[in-house]
Amino acid sequence: MSQLLIRDAEVSDAAELAPLLETLGYPADVPALRERLIRLQATDPTGRVIVAHLGGALLGFATLHCTPALHRPTWVGRITGLAVMAEGRRAGVGRRLVEEAERYFGSLGLTRVEVTSGPAHERAHPFYRHLGYRDEGIRFAKSLL
């Protein structure tokens, strides 16, 4: 994986991102995904979607956000989505995406990174623990639809 390239996602990546979102249980059609990428780039100056490419194939992505927090000395970096295609798993792709996220958040002066990973993605939890992340609380959510 030494030739693995981590870069910011482009709108043209939408077709390759769609199957990755599907692996997380979030199906998205390509036009809707293009629109989401455009909206994210236009409205969230600290938000990023990064992708991992190898030999012209997109193997994974991570979605990064910075959240202001009154109760913390700095904003909090959040990895709100991370997926790797089967052929990139256990090959360092996920680790490289997380390392780039941590580097990015650190470059902004953030001192904390959180990962959003709910019970439906329990198989990923050992991966995050292996990278030094700890379970800290429970996340509650409510749909407004």
Side-chain angles (χ1 to χ4, degrees):
M1 289 288 160
S2 63
Q3 301 298 320
L4 188 70
L5 170 68
I6 306 292
R7 64 164 174 80
D8 286 301
E10 300 169 358
V11 174
S12 60
D13 292 321
E16 290 183 277
L17 285 168
L20 282 159
L21 281 169
E22 182 108 15
T23 68
L24 294 175
Y26 303 108
D29 63 55
V30 174
L33 197 47
R34 281 190 193 109
E35 183 58 37
R36 290 179 197 166
L37 285 166
I38 291 168
R39 191 172 352 119
L40 176 67
Q41 292 169 351
T43 61
D44 187 351
T46 61
R48 288 178 71 192
V49 178
I50 55 175
V51 294
H53 261 269
L54 181 65
L58 195 148
L59 293 180
F61 84 95
T63 307
L64 318 178
H65 299 279
C66 298
T67 304
L70 181 63
H71 62 287
R72 300 216 177 266
T74 68
W75 287 20
V76 175
R78 297 189 72 221
I79 301 171
T80 60
L82 186 139
V84 175
M85 295 300 279
E87 58 269 27
R89 294 183 192 141
R90 301 211 180 270
V93 175
R95 174 185 291 276
R96 290 275 308 276
L97 286 163
V98 171
E99 288 171 350
E100 173 57 22
E102 291 171 351
R103 187 206 60 73
Y104 171 63
F105 294 136
S107 75
L108 296 176
L110 279 57
T111 59
R112 181 180 175 87
V113 178
E114 297 176 348
V115 176
T116 301
S117 185
H121 307 292
E122 197 168 338
R123 289 187 359 235
H125 296 178
F127 166 73
Y128 295 119
R129 290 183 189 110
H130 178 74
L131 295 180
Y133 289 81
R134 298 185 326 261
D135 298 2
E136 289 191 1
I138 299 171
R139 182 183 70 174
F140 295 93
K142 179 180 179 180
S143 177
L144 298 177
L145 300 178

Coordinates of all heavy atoms in Angstrom, one line a residue, residues 52-93:
A52 N -9.0 7.5 -0.3 CA -7.8 6.7 -0.5 C -7.9 6.0 -1.9 O -8.8 5.3 -2.2 CB -7.7 5.6 0.6
H53 N -6.9 6.3 -2.7 CA -6.8 5.8 -4.1 C -5.6 4.9 -4.2 O -4.5 5.2 -3.7 CB -6.7 7.0 -5.1 CG -7.9 7.3 -5.8 ND1 -8.3 6.8 -6.9 CD2 -8.9 8.2 -5.4 CE1 -9.5 7.3 -7.3 NE2 -9.8 8.2 -6.4
L54 N -5.7 3.8 -4.9 CA -4.6 3.0 -5.3 C -4.8 2.5 -6.7 O -5.8 1.9 -7.0 CB -4.5 1.8 -4.3 CG -3.3 0.8 -4.5 CD1 -2.0 1.6 -4.3 CD2 -3.4 -0.4 -3.7
G55 N -3.8 2.8 -7.5 CA -3.9 2.3 -8.9 C -5.2 2.7 -9.6 O -5.7 2.0 -10.4
G56 N -5.6 3.9 -9.4 CA -6.8 4.4 -10.0 C -8.2 4.0 -9.4 O -9.2 4.4 -9.9
A57 N -8.1 3.1 -8.4 CA -9.3 2.7 -7.7 C -9.5 3.4 -6.4 O -8.5 3.5 -5.6 CB -9.3 1.2 -7.5
L58 N -10.7 3.8 -6.1 CA -11.0 4.4 -4.8 C -11.3 3.3 -3.8 O -12.2 2.5 -4.0 CB -12.2 5.4 -5.0 CG -12.4 6.3 -3.8 CD1 -13.0 7.6 -4.3 CD2 -13.3 5.7 -2.8
L59 N -10.5 3.2 -2.8 CA -10.6 2.1 -1.8 C -11.3 2.5 -0.5 O -11.7 1.6 0.2 CB -9.2 1.5 -1.5 CG -8.5 0.8 -2.6 CD1 -7.2 0.3 -2.2 CD2 -9.3 -0.3 -3.2
G60 N -11.4 3.8 -0.2 CA -12.0 4.2 1.0 C -12.2 5.7 1.1 O -11.7 6.4 0.3
F61 N -12.9 6.1 2.2 CA -13.1 7.5 2.4 C -13.3 7.7 3.9 O -13.6 6.8 4.7 CB -14.3 8.0 1.6 CG -15.6 7.8 2.4 CD1 -16.2 8.7 3.2 CD2 -16.3 6.6 2.2 CE1 -17.4 8.5 3.8 CE2 -17.5 6.3 2.9 CZ -18.0 7.3 3.7
A62 N -13.1 9.0 4.3 CA -13.4 9.4 5.7 C -14.0 10.8 5.6 O -13.6 11.6 4.7 CB -12.2 9.4 6.5
T63 N -15.0 11.1 6.4 CA -15.7 12.4 6.4 C -15.2 13.0 7.7 O -15.4 12.4 8.8 CB -17.2 12.2 6.4 OG1 -17.6 11.5 5.2 CG2 -17.9 13.6 6.2
L64 N -14.7 14.3 7.6 CA -14.2 15.0 8.8 C -14.9 16.3 9.0 O -15.2 17.0 8.1 CB -12.7 15.3 8.5 CG -11.8 14.2 7.9 CD1 -10.4 14.7 7.6 CD2 -11.8 12.9 8.7
H65 N -15.2 16.6 10.3 CA -15.8 17.8 10.7 C -15.2 18.3 11.9 O -14.6 17.6 12.7 CB -17.3 17.6 10.9 CG -18.1 17.1 9.7 ND1 -18.5 17.9 8.7 CD2 -18.4 15.8 9.4 CE1 -19.1 17.2 7.8 NE2 -19.1 15.9 8.2
C66 N -15.2 19.6 12.1 CA -14.8 20.3 13.3 C -16.0 20.8 14.0 O -16.8 21.5 13.4 CB -13.8 21.4 13.0 SG -12.3 20.8 12.2
T67 N -16.2 20.5 15.3 CA -17.3 20.9 16.1 C -16.9 21.9 17.2 O -16.1 21.5 18.0 CB -18.0 19.7 16.7 OG1 -18.3 18.8 15.6 CG2 -19.3 20.1 17.4
P68 N -17.5 23.1 17.2 CA -17.2 23.9 18.4 C -17.7 23.3 19.7 O -18.8 22.6 19.7 CB -18.0 25.2 18.1 CG -18.4 25.1 16.6 CD -18.4 23.6 16.3
A69 N -17.0 23.5 20.8 CA -17.4 22.9 22.0 C -17.1 23.9 23.2 O -16.0 24.3 23.4 CB -16.7 21.6 22.3
L70 N -18.1 24.4 23.8 CA -17.9 25.3 24.9 C -17.2 24.7 26.1 O -16.4 25.3 26.8 CB -19.3 25.8 25.4 CG -19.3 26.9 26.5 CD1 -18.6 28.1 26.1 CD2 -20.7 27.2 27.0
H71 N -17.4 23.4 26.3 CA -16.8 22.7 27.4 C -15.4 22.2 27.2 O -14.9 21.5 28.0 CB -17.8 21.5 27.9 CG -17.9 20.5 26.8 ND1 -18.7 20.7 25.7 CD2 -17.4 19.2 26.7 CE1 -18.7 19.6 24.9 NE2 -17.9 18.7 25.5
R72 N -14.8 22.5 26.0 CA -13.5 22.0 25.7 C -12.6 23.2 25.3 O -13.1 24.2 24.8 CB -13.5 21.0 24.6 CG -14.3 19.8 25.0 CD -13.7 18.5 24.4 NE -14.5 17.3 24.8 CZ -14.2 16.6 25.8 NH1 -13.1 16.9 26.5 NH2 -14.9 15.5 26.1
P73 N -11.3 23.1 25.5 CA -10.5 24.3 25.2 C -10.3 24.5 23.7 O -10.0 25.7 23.3 CB -9.1 23.9 25.8 CG -9.1 22.4 26.0 CD -10.6 22.1 26.2
T74 N -10.5 23.5 22.9 CA -10.5 23.7 21.4 C -11.7 23.0 20.8 O -12.4 22.2 21.5 CB -9.3 23.1 20.8 OG1 -9.3 21.6 20.9 CG2 -8.0 23.6 21.4
W75 N -12.0 23.3 19.6 CA -13.0 22.6 18.9 C -12.6 21.1 18.9 O -11.5 20.7 19.2 CB -13.1 23.0 17.4 CG -13.8 24.4 17.3 CD1 -13.9 25.4 18.2 CD2 -14.3 24.9 16.1 NE1 -14.5 26.5 17.7 CE2 -14.8 26.2 16.4 CE3 -14.5 24.5 14.8 CZ2 -15.4 27.0 15.4 CZ3 -15.1 25.3 13.9 CH2 -15.5 26.5 14.2
V76 N -13.6 20.2 18.5 CA -13.4 18.8 18.5 C -13.4 18.3 17.1 O -14.3 18.7 16.3 CB -14.5 18.1 19.3 CG1 -14.3 16.6 19.2 CG2 -14.5 18.5 20.8
G77 N -12.4 17.6 16.7 CA -12.4 16.9 15.4 C -13.2 15.7 15.4 O -13.2 14.9 16.4
R78 N -14.0 15.5 14.4 CA -14.9 14.3 14.4 C -14.8 13.6 13.0 O -14.9 14.2 12.0 CB -16.4 14.8 14.6 CG -16.5 15.4 16.0 CD -18.0 15.6 16.3 NE -18.6 14.4 16.6 CZ -19.8 14.0 16.2 NH1 -20.6 14.9 15.5 NH2 -20.4 12.9 16.5
I79 N -14.6 12.3 13.1 CA -14.6 11.4 12.0 C -16.1 10.9 12.0 O -16.4 10.1 12.8 CB -13.6 10.3 12.0 CG1 -12.2 10.9 12.1 CG2 -13.7 9.4 10.8 CD1 -11.1 9.9 12.4
T80 N -16.9 11.4 11.1 CA -18.3 11.0 11.1 C -18.7 9.9 10.1 O -19.8 9.4 10.1 CB -19.2 12.2 10.8 OG1 -18.9 12.7 9.5 CG2 -19.0 13.3 11.9
G81 N -17.7 9.5 9.3 CA -17.9 8.4 8.4 C -16.6 7.9 7.9 O -15.7 8.7 7.7
L82 N -16.4 6.5 7.9 CA -15.2 5.9 7.4 C -15.6 4.6 6.8 O -16.3 3.8 7.5 CB -14.2 5.8 8.5 CG -12.8 5.3 8.0 CD1 -11.7 6.0 8.7 CD2 -12.7 3.8 8.2
A83 N -15.2 4.3 5.6 CA -15.5 3.0 5.0 C -14.3 2.7 4.1 O -13.7 3.5 3.4 CB -16.8 3.0 4.2
V84 N -14.0 1.4 4.0 CA -13.0 0.8 3.1 C -13.6 -0.4 2.4 O -14.2 -1.2 3.0 CB -11.8 0.4 4.0 CG1 -10.7 -0.2 3.1 CG2 -11.2 1.6 4.7
M85 N -13.3 -0.4 1.1 CA -13.7 -1.5 0.3 C -13.0 -2.8 0.8 O -12.0 -2.7 1.4 CB -13.3 -1.3 -1.2 CG -14.1 -0.1 -1.8 SD -15.9 -0.3 -1.8 CE -16.1 -1.3 -3.2
A86 N -13.7 -3.9 0.6 CA -13.2 -5.2 1.1 C -11.7 -5.4 0.7 O -10.9 -5.9 1.5 CB -14.0 -6.4 0.6
E87 N -11.3 -5.1 -0.5 CA -9.9 -5.4 -0.9 C -8.9 -4.4 -0.3 O -7.7 -4.7 -0.3 CB -9.8 -5.3 -2.5 CG -10.2 -3.9 -3.1 CD -11.7 -3.8 -3.5 OE1 -12.5 -4.6 -2.9 OE2 -12.0 -3.1 -4.4
G88 N -9.4 -3.4 0.4 CA -8.5 -2.5 1.1 C -8.4 -2.8 2.6 O -7.6 -2.2 3.3
R89 N -9.3 -3.6 3.1 CA -9.3 -3.9 4.5 C -8.1 -4.7 5.0 O -7.6 -5.6 4.2 CB -10.6 -4.6 4.9 CG -11.8 -3.7 4.7 CD -13.1 -4.3 5.2 NE -14.2 -3.5 4.7 CZ -15.3 -3.9 4.2 NH1 -15.5 -5.2 4.2 NH2 -16.2 -3.1 3.8
R90 N -7.6 -4.5 6.1 CA -6.4 -5.2 6.7 C -5.2 -4.9 5.9 O -4.3 -5.7 5.9 CB -6.7 -6.7 6.9 CG -7.9 -7.0 7.8 CD -7.7 -8.3 8.5 NE -8.9 -8.5 9.3 CZ -8.9 -8.2 10.6 NH1 -8.0 -7.5 11.2 NH2 -10.0 -8.5 11.3
A91 N -5.2 -3.9 5.1 CA -4.0 -3.5 4.3 C -3.5 -2.1 4.6 O -2.7 -1.6 3.9 CB -4.4 -3.6 2.8
G92 N -4.1 -1.5 5.6 CA -3.6 -0.2 6.1 C -4.4 1.0 5.5 O -4.0 2.1 5.8
V93 N -5.4 0.8 4.7 CA -6.2 1.9 4.1 C -6.9 2.7 5.2 O -6.8 3.9 5.3 CB -7.1 1.4 3.0 CG1 -8.0 2.5 2.5 CG2 -6.4 0.7 1.9

